[in-house]
DNA sequence: ACCCTTAGTATCACAATGTAATTCAAATCA
DNA sequence: TGATTTGAATTACATTGTGATACTAAGGGT
């Protein structure tokens, strides 16, 4: 099963589409999470997810701008999307009947 | 931050109210999760959560039925509920805009 | 030409979490 | 008494999460 950070990373990458690369993903995560995302967490996790086949990555070209170093581009694979969906569904299922999950009077059936 | 299993455990215990003890929680988790919950996962996690003040536990009386051994009763503390809520909210926030989280045409705003 | 700043990636070591396997305890029932 | 049943505890190891630190290359200013 995915961990919470892994889930956040996949979701961020998926949202960025073809603009997904390390640093951008990091910003996404911080925005969505409201917490710092350390460099170590980022690249270590990217590597692990790639090893599991949930991401595919490759080095892009360096861009012609100050500091424009080559980027590690990231693509979420089918397996990656599926894993994310499973994580999400699992949390939803567990949260049925949880007080903190019931807002707006939804009965969640 | 809580892990996913920790979240499931707190949620199960909260749902069981004053009937929350090791074995019952385990069944809850398996039902909600659709996956096996090993004994080790259970008690190790209970212990860790208690150490962090998210749960309180104590030994109950042995019940007068075959094998009715004393139970370790579990109560979710305020801090525990808060942590669970935070986990849930974090997942929700991260999942805004995620394709797999948008069902029923909700725009999620 | 040289150094500073900037955008990025890479790695290591360790902490926190997740899980299986195995053992122990106490109570009934035959 | 001893087999059966409910339930808890321990051990050891795998997986995830994270901070600290280092590295690389480009542009800009002087």
């Amino acid at each position: 099963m995915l961990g919470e950070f892994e889930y956040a990373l996949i979701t961020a990458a998926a949202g960025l589409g073809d603009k997904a690369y390390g640093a951008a993903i990091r910003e996404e995560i911080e925005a969505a999470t409201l917490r710092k995302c350390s460099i170590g967490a980022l690249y270590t996790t990217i590597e692990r997810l790639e090893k599991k086949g949930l991401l595919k990555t490759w080095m892009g070209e360096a861009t012609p701008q100050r500091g424009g170093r080559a980027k590690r581009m990231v693509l979420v694979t089918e397996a990656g999307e599926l894993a994310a969906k499973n994580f999400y569904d699992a949390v939803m299922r567990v949260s049925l009947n949880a007080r903190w999950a019931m807002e707006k009077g939804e009965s969640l059936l």
Side-chain angles (χ1 to χ4, degrees), chain A:
Chain A
M1 170 79 66
L2 287 182
E4 196 242 344
F5 183 73
E6 295 178 308
Y7 175 71
L9 198 158
I10 290 182
T11 305
L16 284 166
D18 58 1
K19 292 172 204 60
Y21 66 96
I25 292 175
R26 188 183 178 200
E27 283 170 29
E28 266 305 282
I29 293 178
E30 298 197 333
T33 282
L34 304 183
R35 299 199 332 234
K36 280 285 161 211
C37 164
S38 78
I39 299 290
L42 186 72
Y43 290 103
T44 315
T45 302
I46 287 180
E47 203 174 296
R48 288 171 185 163
L49 290 176
E50 182 166 25
K51 196 167 295 173
K52 289 198 282 184
L54 306 186
L55 295 181
K56 228 182 60 179
T57 79
W58 66 94
M59 292 309 283
E61 300 284 307
T63 51
Q65 52 169 300
R66 181 172 183 131
R69 180 173 177 191
K71 300 171 170 65
R72 172 173 292 280
M73 307 306 292
V74 172
L75 182 68
V76 179
T77 65
E78 293 258 328
E81 277 215 25
L82 186 60
K85 177 166 174 33
N86 284 341
F87 178 89
Y88 180 82
D89 289 350
V91 172
M92 288 302 98
R93 203 177 315 113
V94 167
S95 301
L96 290 177
N97 305 317
R99 211 174 310 118
W100 50 81
M102 295 195 277
E103 283 152 19
K104 312 163 195 165
E106 309 181 72
S107 74
L108 293 171
L109 294 179

